Amino acid sequence: AVPGAAMLRRSLWLCLCLCSCPARGLRIHEYLYFQVLSPGDIRYIFTATPAKDFGGVFNTRYDQIHLVPADPPEACGELNNGVFIQDQIALVERGGCSFLSKTRVIQEHGGRAVIIADNAYDNDSFYIEMIQDSTRRTADIPALFLLGRDGYMIRRSLEQHGLPWAVISIPVNVTSIPTYEMMQPPWTFW
C-alpha cells in the first residue's frame, strides 16, 4: 500500500473510533491514546486497547506520569523495581502468565495502570484481545494492550538514553489534534 492510502485508512479508522467513545470510559474494541513526552526521540502518540473483561477504566487524565518498564519485563511475580511503579504506570511484556496476573502484580505494587506490550516485536498492526483468565480473580486498575513494535521501540529508546522510565500523558484526546499534526510513530506506516 502507498503511504497516502495507509494514512487515509488510519484517519478513517481514527474517526470511527472517536465517534464510539463513551463518556464513562472505554469498552473493548475502542482505543485509548497516550503520548510519550520524554525521551524526545519517541515523542509520538501511541494507540492501545483496553482489556475485554477485567480492569478499570481511565477516569483521570495524567498530564505527566512515568511509564516504568517492569523488571522482570513479564511481571509474573515479585518486581525488582516495584518501588518505582508505585503511583505510576507500568510497561509490561506479554508472556509467562495471564494478562490478569500481570495486571494484579502491578496493582499490588501500587501502579495506577498497566500497559502490556506484545512480545512479538515485529507486530505493528494486530491487537490482542486481553481476556479474564479462569481464576475468577479481578483487578481494579486499567489494563491496556500495546503493539509489540511500539513497546519494543519505547524500551529501546529508554535503554539507549539510560533512562529508568518515560514521561507520558494519558489519555490523549486526539479529537483536538488535526490529523496532519498527529505525531504517530513512523514505523506505523512502514
Side-chain angles (χ1 to χ4, degrees):
V2 294
M7 187 171 289
L8 178 61
R9 279 195 312 275
R10 184 94 168 164
S11 296
L12 290 173
W13 164 82
L14 177 62
C15 182
L16 288 172
C17 294
L18 295 174
C19 294
S20 65
C21 202
R24 69 185 185 292
L26 293 168
R27 296 180 309 228
I28 187 64
H29 300 303
E30 293 176 353
Y31 300 89
L32 181 133
Y33 302 91
F34 69 93
Q35 182 175 20
V36 173
L37 304 173
S38 174
D41 62 332
I42 54 167
R43 193 177 168 102
Y44 300 116
I45 294 175
F46 293 89
T47 305
T49 58
K52 178 180 180 180
D53 55 7
F54 70 89
V57 295
F58 275 94
N59 292 321
T60 303
R61 184 180 189 309
Y62 301 101
D63 289 321
Q64 291 189 7
I65 192 166
H66 294 158
L67 178 63
V68 183
D71 178 21
E74 291 178 344
C76 291
E78 190 61 33
L79 300 178
N80 298 324
N81 65 339
V83 67
F84 297 112
I85 290 178
Q86 176 77 34
D87 291 325
Q88 306 303 321
I89 297 175
L91 178 62
V92 172
E93 268 189 40
R94 178 182 179 201
C97 60
S98 71
F99 293 119
L100 178 57
S101 293
K102 295 171 185 301
T103 303
R104 288 180 55 87
V105 166
I106 299 307
Q107 180 175 305
E108 290 165 7
H109 282 85
R112 293 186 187 233
V114 61
I115 298 175
I116 302 171
D118 197 356
N119 56 0
Y121 300 146
D122 60 343
N123 177 10
D124 61 3
S125 60
F126 183 69
Y127 289 92
I128 303 293
E129 192 170 85
M130 297 192 309
I131 59 171
Q132 173 83 261
D133 59 20
S134 60
T135 62
R136 298 186 187 205
R137 298 173 298 165
T138 61
D140 299 320
I141 64 171
L144 303 169
F145 182 82
L146 181 66
L147 296 173
R149 173 80 50 95
D150 293 346
Y152 169 76
M153 297 300 276
I154 291 170
R155 283 188 303 275
R156 188 180 86 168
S157 175
L158 294 176
E159 289 170 9
Q160 289 175 341
H161 293 286
L163 297 172
W165 52 69
V167 178
I168 67 170
S169 177
I170 187 169
V172 171
N173 179 0
V174 295
T175 60
S176 63
I177 304 170
T179 304
Y180 63 88
E181 288 183 10
M182 288 259 308
M183 291 295 296
Q184 296 174 307
W187 53 88
T188 301
F189 302 112
W190 293 352

